[in-house]
Amino acid sequence: MVAMTTRCFCSSGKVYEECCRIFHQGGTAENALQLMRSRYSAYATGHAGYIVATTHPANVHYSDNLFNWKRSILKAFSKDAVFKQLDIHD
């Protein structure tokens, strides 16, 4: 669980509640930048369902087995990885 006053992991400078949480709870990204930021934050906060929902079916990581896919995301990224900062270049 992420405290609502925590700075968003996407490095926007906003608090999580006013930034990526909106997308993680069902909001739609308006552009590729918002999508990229929100997906980074989803990995950092363990929102595997959001990662699944925003992955294109043609992606090599896409899987029809949602349960195992979500479990894999949580194990490989959210639990074992350290998310320090998102740096966006162009």
Side-chain angles (χ1 to χ4, degrees):
M1 179 61 80
V2 178
M4 295 306 129
T5 56
T6 300
R7 290 279 175 211
C8 195
F9 293 91
C10 78
S11 302
S12 67
K14 299 177 184 178
V15 295
Y16 175 70
E17 180 178 25
E18 298 171 358
C19 195
C20 291
R21 180 175 183 250
I22 295 165
F23 305 116
H24 299 165
Q25 291 189 325
T28 302
E30 296 176 11
N31 55 55
L33 181 61
Q34 282 183 341
L35 180 61
M36 179 178 58
R37 287 181 177 279
S38 64
R39 284 176 56 87
Y40 180 87
S41 287
Y43 279 113
T45 58
H47 282 86
Y50 183 76
I51 297 300
V52 167
T54 57
T55 300
H56 192 277
N59 186 295
V60 297
H61 299 290
Y62 186 87
S63 173
D64 288 328
N65 186 332
L66 300 182
F67 178 80
N68 284 342
W69 186 14
K70 288 178 185 179
R71 189 171 58 182
S72 173
I73 290 168
L74 291 173
K75 184 178 186 307
F77 293 100
S78 299
K79 302 294 183 205
D80 298 332
V82 176
F83 294 86
K84 294 181 180 184
Q85 180 175 332
L86 175 64
D87 290 323
I88 299 170
H89 304 272
D90 288 327

